[in-house]
Amino acid sequence: MRSGAILIGTLLLAGCSGQAGDTAALNEEMAAAAEQRPPVPAKVFTDRWRQMFANPQAVIAAANDLGFLVDAYAKAGETYRADGVAQVAPRPKAPFTLVSDFAAVGRDAKQIDSIVFVFDITRQGKVDERAERELLKIPRRFLRGFLQRFQLGADDRLIAGVVVPRATAFEDHGARVAVTTAPIPGGSGAGSHHIVVTFTRAGAPVAAAPVPDLDSADAPGEKAAQGSTSSARK
């Protein structure tokens, strides 16, 4: 929040007497400004996680900025969900491919329960090591870029779980963060992994990961030009 906005909010709440009003309905940053005290960091990050899950449109916008072409958050059976279009880099059937997918799932139209990223890494045949290193930066860049939109950092445990990869789960200011990983079967080569990253709202059930639809997955640049959506896919 910019300092000018904080100052205006503080003056409005304090009133002529210089005393802060009722701050119970404010988030921690606004309450701290109104009460003229430093904000409590743990409360600030708890607010930011909560606000992220409570804003489906902002979540969809952040995922779209990463190229996922996410459809609307809408009723789908017993839940509400918004699905992305799978991205494959550098191209289908290359010696090394990274397929990325996204979904947001919840039980209420106004609130998301789980935000899910999927990364399928497949090695087949001879792989250019430099190209592989560049492609393996994509999951980290996606996760960090997405969380930064909500002023949240990517915990080192999250990044390590994706890079190694290895399963991990932990609480981050009320939100549950989990990484699961499994080998990709079918003789696709050593080091092929299916990685699922899930951010789940406190008290909500963990959503199942989407299954990337490779029939509609193109190179990222081609998908952006097509402007297709995935509302009928998953």
Side-chain angles (χ1 to χ4, degrees), residues 106-209:
R107 298 162 295 170
D108 186 281
K110 297 181 180 180
Q111 188 160 244
I112 292 170
D113 287 341
S114 284
I115 295 165
V116 189
F117 288 86
V118 174
F119 304 104
D120 280 354
I121 298 169
T122 305
R123 293 173 173 88
Q124 302 183 86
K126 186 176 181 180
V127 177
D128 181 275
E129 292 184 2
R130 182 176 179 180
E132 179 180 359
R133 285 197 300 271
E134 290 304 309
L135 287 173
L136 288 175
K137 294 178 182 178
I138 291 175
R140 285 173 280 175
R141 188 170 72 243
F142 278 2
L143 295 170
R144 285 176 171 145
F146 178 83
L147 291 173
Q148 284 171 0
R149 284 288 295 268
F150 303 95
Q151 297 181 284
L152 294 165
D155 190 284
D156 289 344
R157 292 168 290 180
L158 166 62
I159 298 304
V162 173
V163 171
V164 174
R166 65 182 177 213
T168 186
F170 57 91
E171 296 275 330
D172 189 349
H173 299 95
R176 285 176 287 161
V177 180
V179 179
T180 62
T181 178
I184 295 177
S188 56
S192 298
H193 297 283
H194 174 68
I195 302 169
V196 179
V197 177
T198 308
F199 305 115
T200 302
R201 182 175 58 82
V206 178

Side-chain angles (χ1 to χ4, degrees), residues 8-232:
I8 291 170
T10 301
L11 293 174
L12 290 173
L13 288 164
C16 297
S17 64
Q19 298 296 317
D22 182 8
T23 60
L26 303 178
N27 66 32
E28 173 60 14
E29 290 173 286
M30 295 175 67
E35 296 166 2
Q36 300 182 348
R37 61 171 175 81
V40 178
K43 291 183 178 180
V44 169
F45 287 109
T46 298
D47 285 341
R48 289 176 182 176
W49 279 109
R50 185 184 302 115
Q51 290 160 6
M52 180 184 74
F53 290 116
N55 196 334
Q57 292 306 313
V59 168
I60 290 172
N64 281 335
D65 282 349
L66 298 174
F68 281 106
L69 300 178
V70 183
D71 55 17
Y73 186 65
K75 188 74 170 177
E78 298 298 318
T79 63
Y80 288 82
R81 64 183 297 128
D83 288 297
V85 175
Q87 303 184 44
V88 57
R91 62 189 183 280
K93 299 182 180 179
F96 177 91
T97 57
L98 172 63
V99 177
S100 308
D101 209 350
F102 172 91
V105 184
R107 298 162 295 170
D108 186 281
K110 297 181 180 180
Q111 188 160 244
I112 292 170
D113 287 341
S114 284
I115 295 165
V116 189
F117 288 86
V118 174
F119 304 104
D120 280 354
I121 298 169
T122 305
R123 293 173 173 88
Q124 302 183 86
K126 186 176 181 180
V127 177
D128 181 275
E129 292 184 2
R130 182 176 179 180
E132 179 180 359
R133 285 197 300 271
E134 290 304 309
L135 287 173
L136 288 175
K137 294 178 182 178
I138 291 175
R140 285 173 280 175
R141 188 170 72 243
F142 278 2
L143 295 170
R144 285 176 171 145
F146 178 83
L147 291 173
Q148 284 171 0
R149 284 288 295 268
F150 303 95
Q151 297 181 284
L152 294 165
D155 190 284
D156 289 344
R157 292 168 290 180
L158 166 62
I159 298 304
V162 173
V163 171
V164 174
R166 65 182 177 213
T168 186
F170 57 91
E171 296 275 330
D172 189 349
H173 299 95
R176 285 176 287 161
V177 180
V179 179
T180 62
T181 178
I184 295 177
S188 56
S192 298
H193 297 283
H194 174 68
I195 302 169
V196 179
V197 177
T198 308
F199 305 115
T200 302
R201 182 175 58 82
V206 178
V211 177
D213 180 4
L214 299 185
D215 290 337
S216 63
D218 304 308
E222 295 172 0
K223 290 199 307 298
Q226 292 169 359
S228 59
T229 60
S230 59
S231 57

